[in-house]
Amino acid sequence: MAAPSVKDLPKVDDNLKTQLENFSQSKLKDVETQEKLVLPTAEDVKQEKQHMEFIQGVEGFDHDRLKHIDTTEKVVLPNAEDVKQERQHNQFIQGVEGFKAEQLKHIQTDEKTILPSAEDIANEKQRQQMLDGVTNFSVDKLKHTETQEKVVLPTKEVIEQEKAA
């Protein structure tokens, strides 16, 4: 693979180019690198130890300690109740699947409109008149009145009776 020619290289902004050319390492600050070594906590060590013991226990398991067992499959037959329910369910499914819509009779639907009684109409009319009276009420029809507050003070005798009690 040949090196690219100068005209194929990307153009660098003149401002950036002058900054790179004028860069001086003496402007950098001296910093000491600090390496930090994080030690695991006691909890981390305990968990890792338990995990390693578990892994060793699985890896070192002795298969010869296992006993051979023959699995026996038991067939549970349905009781009479279950058989009866299944039979009814199957009959229902067959009835739905074998249904013939042609066997249905055509029926004309009669729509009946029930009109309200005269009493219902009168009640509704009375209610509507009451609502109209409230909504169309004119404040101009009211008369101006002045409220007089009368304070009745107790007599001397009543005060003496209350003191005695």
Side-chain angles (χ1 to χ4, degrees):
M1 182 164 146
S5 65
V6 174
K7 62 181 178 182
D8 293 336
L9 293 174
K11 303 293 184 222
V12 177
D13 187 25
D14 290 334
N15 185 21
L16 179 63
K17 190 174 182 182
T18 56
Q19 286 180 4
L20 291 174
E21 289 172 350
N22 296 334
F23 179 74
S24 171
Q25 286 187 347
S26 62
K27 294 179 181 177
L28 295 177
K29 296 179 183 177
D30 287 331
V31 177
E32 289 187 33
T33 306
Q34 295 179 355
E35 292 187 25
K36 295 183 178 180
L37 180 63
V38 179
L39 296 175
T41 63
E43 181 68 25
D44 293 338
V45 172
K46 181 180 175 183
Q47 286 179 350
E48 187 174 346
K49 185 177 180 182
Q50 287 176 347
H51 180 69
M52 292 303 291
E53 288 174 356
F54 176 74
I55 297 291
Q56 288 174 356
V58 170
E59 289 174 349
F61 183 72
D62 185 17
H63 295 282
D64 296 333
R65 292 175 43 200
L66 294 176
K67 297 179 184 176
H68 180 72
I69 295 180
D70 291 327
T71 304
T72 57
E73 294 185 24
K74 296 181 180 179
V75 178
V76 179
L77 297 176
N79 59 19
E81 177 87 15
D82 294 337
V83 172
K84 182 180 176 183
Q85 285 180 352
E86 185 176 353
R87 195 174 295 148
Q88 287 176 344
H89 180 71
N90 288 339
Q91 288 175 352
F92 176 73
I93 297 295
Q94 289 173 356
V96 171
E97 289 174 349
F99 181 75
K100 296 179 184 174
E102 302 87 34
Q103 294 177 345
L104 294 175
K105 296 178 185 176
H106 180 73
I107 294 181
Q108 186 66 30
T109 304
D110 293 334
E111 292 185 22
K112 296 182 180 180
T113 305
I114 300 174
L115 297 175
S117 66
E119 184 180 329
D120 292 338
I121 292 172
N123 288 341
E124 183 67 24
K125 188 174 181 180
Q126 183 181 10
R127 183 175 180 275
Q128 189 61 40
Q129 286 175 351
M130 183 185 72
L131 290 175
D132 287 342
V134 170
T135 56
N136 297 331
F137 180 75
S138 175
V139 180
D140 298 333
K141 294 179 182 178
L142 295 175
K143 296 179 185 176
H144 179 71
T145 60
E146 290 188 24
T147 307
Q148 295 179 354
E149 292 186 26
K150 295 183 180 180
V151 179
V152 179
L153 296 176
T155 63
K156 189 176 185 179
E157 298 159 352
V158 174
I159 294 174
E160 289 178 11
Q161 287 178 354
E162 287 183 4
K163 284 183 180 178

